[in-house]
Amino acid sequence: MGVWHDVIGQFGYFVIFAFLSLGLVGVPIPIPDEVLLTYLGYITSLGEMSFTLTFIAAVLGSICGITFSYFLGVKLGEPFIEKYGHKLFIKKRTVKRTKRLFDKYGSLLLIFSYFIPGIRHVAAYISGITRYSLKQFLLFATAGAMMWVIVFLSIGNRLGTNWNIIAHLFRKYSLSIFAIIILIVIICITIYRYRKQSMS
């Protein structure tokens, strides 16, 4: 990671913004998003970068990238993905799986899709294609970006030199983790509604 350390040291927060913007659009970058974020967290633990400014740059980059993907979906539609998706490393089966998840979980997918490599930017395309409310999209996509960034930055910051272990495990088991998170959210919503009905 020595090269990346030099690049980040030279260009600072701009390169964080740029790489995450590109990554969320689907443009392949040499380092996976989760690995980059955990590494950035590690750098903040060394005191070489501000945790707060790193968080802001990463969130803004993520929102910029995923919003651009949304507008691509609005303007170009599904035929664009079918024709050029492979150039952005978007597989047809990924699109179909994302559609199923979007139909099933709706807004929740926009929040938690960040944690699923290959799904997050496709979810934005699908949102645009289906003309999902821009206001709602920005609300949930921003919430998801903030959660995603803070999780991986914090992991890298806390683990120090062992930052890469969790990044690897998270990428390997991301779908299982997503399913667990969704289950927890559903349980919490069910309990909340039950208590609200009991009190009324």
Side-chain angles (χ1 to χ4, degrees):
M1 297 295 292
V3 174
W4 288 105
H5 194 98
D6 294 338
V7 170
I8 293 169
Q10 184 175 356
F11 297 101
Y13 303 104
F14 172 76
V15 77
I16 298 172
F17 174 88
F19 279 164
L20 285 168
S21 293
L22 292 172
L24 267 295
V25 172
V27 177
I29 59 175
I31 178 172
D33 297 326
E34 291 86 357
V35 176
L36 174 61
L37 286 172
T38 48
Y39 183 65
L40 289 170
Y42 165 60
I43 291 178
T44 64
S45 73
L46 301 176
E48 296 182 12
M49 300 186 78
S50 163
F51 186 93
T52 301
L53 292 179
T54 300
F55 171 77
I56 292 172
V59 169
L60 289 177
S62 302
I63 295 170
C64 180
I66 206 165
T67 303
F68 184 74
S69 296
Y70 170 87
F71 282 113
L72 280 180
V74 171
K75 297 296 183 182
L76 303 177
E78 194 166 354
F80 173 79
I81 294 182
E82 292 178 353
K83 190 172 182 179
Y84 299 105
H86 64 282
K87 294 185 178 180
L88 295 174
F89 296 90
I90 301 175
K91 299 177 181 178
K92 288 185 178 181
R93 66 169 181 249
T94 303
V95 174
K96 291 180 180 179
R97 184 171 64 178
T98 304
K99 282 183 176 179
R100 288 197 299 269
L101 289 171
F102 197 79
D103 290 339
K104 191 172 184 180
Y105 300 111
S107 301
L108 287 177
L109 180 63
L110 291 175
I111 296 177
F112 296 110
S113 63
Y114 285 90
F115 294 89
I116 312 176
I119 294 292
R120 46 182 166 254
H121 57 283
V122 179
Y125 285 123
I126 300 301
S127 298
I129 289 170
T130 57
R131 305 286 173 162
Y132 189 77
S133 164
L134 176 60
K135 185 177 180 180
Q136 291 289 95
F137 173 83
L138 289 174
L139 175 65
F140 291 108
T142 299
M146 294 177 70
M147 287 175 56
W148 180 59
V149 170
I150 197 67
V151 164
F152 283 100
L153 280 184
S154 298
I155 288 172
N157 183 271
R158 295 296 179 183
L159 290 183
T161 55
N162 296 315
W163 60 270
N164 57 334
I165 297 174
I166 297 298
H168 170 73
L169 291 175
F170 209 103
R171 284 179 61 80
K172 188 175 181 180
Y173 300 107
S174 57
L175 282 176
S176 298
I177 293 171
F178 172 71
I180 292 171
I181 292 173
I182 288 294
L183 180 61
I184 292 172
V185 170
I186 292 174
I187 291 172
C188 289
I189 292 174
T190 302
I191 293 173
Y192 172 77
R193 288 179 176 175
Y194 175 77
R195 288 183 175 178
K196 191 174 181 180
Q197 289 176 355
S198 299
M199 294 174 64
S200 59

